[in-house]
Amino acid sequence: MSLFGSLSSGVSGLKSQGEAISVISDNLSNVNTIGYKGSSTLFAQLVTSSGISGTTFNAGGVGTNIRRSQTIQGALKSTQSSTDLALSGTGFFVVTNESNITNDTSTFYTRAGAFAEDNRGFLTTPAGYYLMGWKTDQSGNILDRQNPSAIELQTVGASAAGTTEFDVGVNLTSTETTHSYDTSLTLQQNLDAVLANPTTADYVTDARFYDSQGGARDVTIAFTKRGDNFWDWQLFTDGSNVVGGTEGANERLGSGTLEFNPDGSLKQAVNATITADWSGGVEDGDITLDFGGSTGGALFDAATVTNGPAGLDFASHVLGITLDDGDANAPANLPGTYDFTYSGANQITLTEPDGSTFTVTVPTDPVNRTLEFGNGVVLTLSSAWDAAALTIGDQMGTVDAAVYAETGTGTGTDGMIQFASGYNTLFSNQNGFGSGTLSSVTVDEGGFLIGSFTNGETKKLWKLTVAVFQNPSKLDPVSQNLLQETDASGPPLFKEAGIGGTANVISGALEQSTVDIANEFSEMIVSQRAYQASSTVVSTVDQMLNELMQLR
């Protein structure tokens, strides 16, 4: 028996239990520390080199290992600050001691997400460490994945974007009479007359565009009916809004045509892209007008009109030509050249590409007239058209038809429509916005830091960098709720929140300490009793050694 071995074993017990009390006291003192992960003491038997040899036992004692449970999720507590962040799941926030990243910058990791904007616009911990993330574009695409940087909001400043898309949906009344076009003038002159006096248009609707500097530019789109299922549109603004314009006079930004199917759905929209030469030294506005999806189908191309002696264009008093390819008697071969000829007795004969003919009689009343040939082809003549000067066989002209693909949804009913109900602007949306300053930020579960601006606009600014480790329990704790990488923890992997098992980010919340007070008190009682027992061993061995020393 070795009394000195027993004494050493008892001392090791005192030391180990003292260390256990130190761990418990550290846990209890951090019961309110955000992001704190409680530690625990693991005891391990110490064995001397001889151990048990025959009937002789040599005491070894006890040692300790400290386990830091970095993977245990703490409860989340709501706060009033949107920059208070908590991680729900695996990972750590990445922070640095410098905002300008160099080779000398120290990087740390933490679960304590009490961040706030400092006087330079950086998001920092209470101790001044800088939160790291990736800069993104407005759509949330990371700009430089290899180099996360300190999240900074001051330079975000004002936000403005010019209009590049305009979505409009209007019901144009199908019962509207054909507009009073004057075919003694050109089509362009007729459109100019509407532009000069928009009250003569069949319908107008207003919108507000924005230039690249956030300046508001009010615009109007006017519609006039040129024939059955066939409309002209013009987009215009006050002349003061465009280079070379005159204040008080309307300036056209773009124009085109809309053709509808007999069921009121949109068949095709022509010239739906414009360029606005805005005044004031701002960039030109390239704007796409979206009138909704179109069904497509067979359409006449006005650019292919050739005039015969009688004429087939606007100057010949022909307002429009349309083709319903859904008609039961529609041409078998829709694409091709269609010929219109005056055949006498106020009659017009249409010859299809395959040679089939259809004849209609033109009413003599001097009004706008709509002629249906019975095969889906409709010819609209103005009140000025007159056959008196024509002779039998005079060719009016030819026009080519082609088949066009559908666009968008292809339904033809999610934008411009033409039904018998009254005029109605269904929607009018554009993607520009005026100048505004950053008013607040929030963070979504995916770690995107989203800015809200005073103009009502929101956009993604940054994406938080989340670090994960192969062995997070081996991270080395340092002051200010921070952790450092060690060889045992392995290097960090920088990942996006919410992807591949990485933690989600909760805005307006903080992760609470994982310390359980009741459990710590229980462990304290056990450690206290074990400490007392070890001290008793030491006292007993001391008495036994004293007895030994008294022997004579």
Side-chain angles (χ1 to χ4, degrees):
M1 175 182 68
S2 172
L3 289 178
F4 287 105
S6 299
L7 181 62
S8 177
S9 179
V11 170
S12 71
L14 292 174
K15 178 180 178 182
S16 296
Q17 297 305 326
E19 189 166 356
I21 289 293
S22 295
V23 171
I24 293 169
S25 64
D26 195 51
N27 286 342
L28 290 173
S29 64
N30 285 284
V31 71
N32 289 320
T33 300
I34 60 172
Y36 179 81
K37 305 298 182 181
S39 300
S40 58
T41 306
L42 301 178
F43 297 94
Q45 179 187 12
L46 297 179
V47 180
T48 62
S49 59
S50 57
I52 298 175
S53 177
T55 59
T56 302
F57 181 84
N58 294 317
V62 66
T64 58
N65 290 296
I66 307 304
R67 179 170 62 188
R68 298 181 175 89
S69 303
Q70 298 292 355
T71 58
I72 297 177
Q73 177 69 48
L76 304 185
K77 180 181 179 180
S78 298
T79 72
Q80 300 299 313
S81 174
S82 62
T83 57
D84 280 345
L85 308 176
L87 291 174
S88 178
T90 302
F92 300 85
F93 297 114
V94 182
V95 297
T96 61
N97 64 335
E98 297 175 332
S99 59
N100 184 28
I101 309 302
T102 67
N103 292 333
D104 297 325
T105 300
S106 297
T107 302
F108 302 93
Y109 310 94
T110 185
R111 296 278 294 196
F115 300 106
E117 188 175 350
D118 70 5
N119 61 349
R120 296 189 298 155
F122 289 97
L123 285 185
T124 63
T125 69
Y129 290 87
Y130 299 89
L131 179 63
M132 302 295 286
W134 293 291
K135 188 74 173 176
T136 68
D137 61 20
Q138 188 169 335
S139 299
N141 300 309
I142 294 174
L143 300 179
D144 187 1
R145 188 178 295 274
Q146 302 302 317
N147 297 295
S149 54
I151 293 177
E152 183 269 329
L153 303 175
Q154 195 171 71
T155 59
V156 173
S159 172
T163 299
T164 59
E165 296 178 3
F166 176 49
D167 304 336
V168 61
V170 174
N171 179 55
L172 298 176
T173 302
S174 60
T175 56
E176 180 68 74
T177 58
T178 303
H179 188 76
S180 56
Y181 287 88
D182 183 355
T183 51
S184 67
L185 304 174
T186 66
L187 174 60
Q188 190 61 54
Q189 288 173 323
N190 278 268
L191 296 177
D192 289 344
V194 174
L195 185 69
N197 184 12
T199 60
T200 63
D202 294 324
Y203 186 68
V204 296
T205 187
D206 299 323
R208 172 164 289 181
F209 289 179
Y210 293 92
D211 60 39
S212 60
Q213 296 180 2
R217 312 283 181 154
D218 291 331
V219 300
T220 300
I221 187 167
F223 302 93
T224 48
K225 185 174 182 179
R226 188 144 43 113
D228 282 358
N229 303 322
F230 193 70
W231 296 71
D232 289 303
W233 64 265
Q234 302 183 79
L235 182 72
F236 61 89
T237 188
D238 185 81
S240 61
N241 285 323
V242 295
V243 174
T246 302
E247 184 175 2
N250 293 326
E251 289 287 338
R252 183 182 294 108
L253 299 176
S255 62
T257 58
L258 301 171
E259 187 167 337
F260 295 90
N261 295 297
D263 64 1
S265 59
L266 181 65
K267 190 173 186 179
Q268 188 189 47
V270 177
N271 292 343
T273 301
I274 66 169
T275 297
D277 189 10
W278 299 126
S279 59
V282 301
E283 296 177 355
D284 291 348
D286 294 323
I287 304 169
T288 299
L289 277 64
D290 186 353
F291 293 105
S294 62
T295 64
L299 295 149
F300 289 121
D301 184 357
T304 65
V305 170
T306 61
N307 283 321
L312 192 62
D313 61 3
F314 187 87
S316 304
H317 314 299
V318 177
L319 297 179
I321 314 169
T322 60
L323 172 58
D324 174 18
D325 47 2
D327 190 280
N329 296 318
N333 298 316
L334 289 166
T337 301
Y338 292 71
D339 183 277
F340 296 83
T341 302
Y342 179 68
S343 51
N346 243 39
Q347 293 183 328
I348 297 175
T349 297
L350 164 66
T351 303
E352 295 179 351
D354 65 357
S356 301
T357 59
F358 294 81
T359 300
V360 296
T361 299
V362 182
T364 57
D365 295 338
V367 295
N368 292 338
R369 287 148 288 183
T370 299
L371 311 179
E372 298 181 0
F373 286 86
N375 63 342
V377 176
V378 177
L379 185 69
T380 302
L381 303 177
S382 78
S383 59
W385 192 91
D386 188 3
L390 303 181
T391 58
I392 297 175
D394 279 351
Q395 185 190 42
M396 295 179 66
T398 64
V399 63
D400 292 341
V403 177
Y404 294 85
E406 66 180 36
T407 62
T409 62
T411 63
T413 56
D414 58 354
M416 300 298 300
I417 52 176
Q418 181 193 247
F419 295 134
S421 55
Y423 287 109
N424 183 24
T425 300
L426 306 174
F427 59 85
S428 176
N429 304 316
Q430 56 82 42
N431 65 343
F433 48 88
S435 178
T437 56
L438 185 66
S439 60
S440 64
V441 295
T442 188
V443 181
D444 67 10
E445 286 193 353
F448 284 109
L449 192 148
I450 301 169
S452 298
F453 295 81
T454 53
N455 56 10
E457 182 67 13
T458 61
K459 64 180 180 180
K460 295 174 179 177
L461 306 174
W462 293 84
K463 187 161 195 181
L464 301 186
T465 303
V466 178
V468 296
F469 293 86
Q470 187 68 30
N471 188 5
S473 293
K474 292 300 183 179
L475 290 168
D476 186 25
V478 294
S479 297
Q480 304 298 338
N481 300 338
L482 303 179
L483 302 164
Q484 279 185 324
E485 170 192 346
T486 65
D487 290 339
S489 70
L493 295 176
F494 289 162
K495 302 180 69 174
E496 298 179 47
I499 298 177
T502 308
N504 291 324
V505 179
I506 310 301
S507 179
L510 293 173
E511 184 179 5
Q512 299 299 95
S513 170
T514 60
V515 174
D516 183 332
I517 295 177
N519 182 68
E520 295 301 321
F521 281 177
S522 175
E523 293 292 337
M524 184 188 299
I525 293 171
V526 173
S527 293
Q528 180 184 10
R529 294 304 183 190
Y531 190 91
Q532 289 174 343
S534 293
S535 65
T536 300
V537 169
V538 173
S539 297
T540 301
V541 172
D542 179 57
Q543 291 176 10
M544 293 174 70
L545 288 172
N546 189 52
E547 289 293 331
L548 183 61
M549 294 296 292
Q550 298 299 319
L551 292 177
R552 296 286 189 269

